[in-house]
Amino acid sequence: MQTELSRKLGVEHAVFGFTPFPAVAAAISRAGGFGVLGAVRYTAPDDLKRDLDWLDAHVGGRPYGLDVVMPAKKVEGVTEADVEAMIPEGHRQFVRETLAKYGVPELAEGEASGWRITGWMEQVARTQLDVALDYPIRLLANALGSPPADVVARAHDRNIMVAALAGSARHARKHQEAGIDIVVAQGYEAGGHTGEIATMVLTPEVVEAVHPLPVLAAGGIGSGQQVAAALTLGAQGVWLGSLWLTTTEADLHAPALTRKLLAAGSGDTVRSRALTGKPARQLHTEWTDAWDDPSGPGTLPMPLQGLLVAEAVSRIQKYEVEPLLGTPVGQIVGRMNSERSVQAVFDDLTRGFEQAVDRVNRIAGRSGQS
């Protein structure tokens, strides 16, 4: 599964794997793909440094990258406390009542919530970048549009390619104008924040819009046949995220969540603003229902919603309150029906890819060629 881009980056397969888990990122790179560690949860620079130390020591000399969340524009002088103060009391009360309804216990005294949305704030992302540039990362990806121009320049000065996610051809053109090296065309089926256009439609539109920049297809891809389809549409690789959540190397810290993912079908996700304030595809739960119910207060804009629900999400996850327990995941969750190693996932991807290529060759009258 090689393309011009994968050869340029020195990887065997044009499979880019986004994950919040260092062990998964390392396993993806060792399997011949390109592991990309998500940095958004690292609010303390020392924590990111610790995990990058581990990742660098366990990729077997293979290339890897980092994914940050950094807006192209910022508002000066706004602190987390300033943002917290903007959250209405009525919304805080709604959270308390919802948690009480399902009997969700409090965190222990002095215990901080595990996940905070502060990783979305630019000053935090810049500290992540300062740490990451001390490591031999080959790719810096940004999940919130094009990163600021000075960040792109810093990466290019170190021979690091820069990628940005796009949900439309218009967004992709803006990335190209900003000097981005790789555009990730992320379709409606993907986990997390998505646009309104399906991957099958979006990928060729973006390929045409930003030619000759390489494009990675993302959203609803979890088989080798789908990888082959993405390359046929003009992509130079695929960007996979959800598929790794049920690998044996992943550490969700919640066996109940793994069970829910393995049992879910492709129709068991929903695009909801419940987690961050922007539409994000995630498991359909009674928590998403509560926030999407017209009788409730409705969600707040980003980043207010994320700050509002951070402790609640941590409590739900810690105590594994199954009706409320969810995670960002794409529609490909319907294929995620067993726990497998990252290597086993790659073995399945390569087999499916070869089958798809052989099938197309037969259709084209080139039986026996590949």
Side-chain angles (χ1 to χ4, degrees), residues 10-11 21-37 51-65 135-138:
V11 295
F21 306 116
V24 176
I28 290 168
S29 289
R30 290 197 307 270
F34 192 101
V36 182
L37 179 65
D51 281 1
L52 284 175
D53 282 338
W54 187 95
L55 177 59
D56 196 55
H58 288 81
V59 293
R62 306 290 182 90
Y64 62 94
Y135 293 83
I137 63 171
R138 295 291 307 281

Side-chain angles (χ1 to χ4, degrees), residues 280-336:
R281 187 171 296 286
Q282 54 202 279
L283 276 182
H284 181 199
T285 67
E286 293 182 35
W287 177 255
T288 61
D289 283 346
W291 284 105
D292 295 337
D293 190 331
S295 66
T299 56
L300 297 169
M302 180 187 280
L304 300 183
Q305 182 70 15
L307 287 169
L308 169 66
V309 304
E311 181 180 320
V313 170
S314 292
R315 289 166 59 186
I316 292 166
Q317 291 177 345
K318 176 177 179 178
Y319 299 110
E320 299 189 72
V321 184
E322 292 205 32
L324 305 180
L325 188 62
T327 185
V329 68
Q331 291 179 331
I332 199 64
V333 71
R335 289 187 63 92
M336 297 158 50

Side-chain angles (χ1 to χ4, degrees), residues 69 71 75 78-87 92 115-123 144 193 273-278 299-310:
V69 180
V75 178
V78 177
T79 67
E80 182 181 346
D82 295 331
V83 177
E84 287 266 17
M86 300 177 189
I87 298 173
R92 295 187 187 278
W115 175 79
R116 295 289 283 170
I117 200 68
T118 49
W120 295 85
M121 302 179 75
E122 185 186 348
Q123 60 267 36
L144 202 63
H193 298 116
R273 298 176 185 268
L275 186 61
T276 68
K278 284 183 176 292
T299 56
L300 297 169
M302 180 187 280
L304 300 183
Q305 182 70 15
L307 287 169
L308 169 66
V309 304

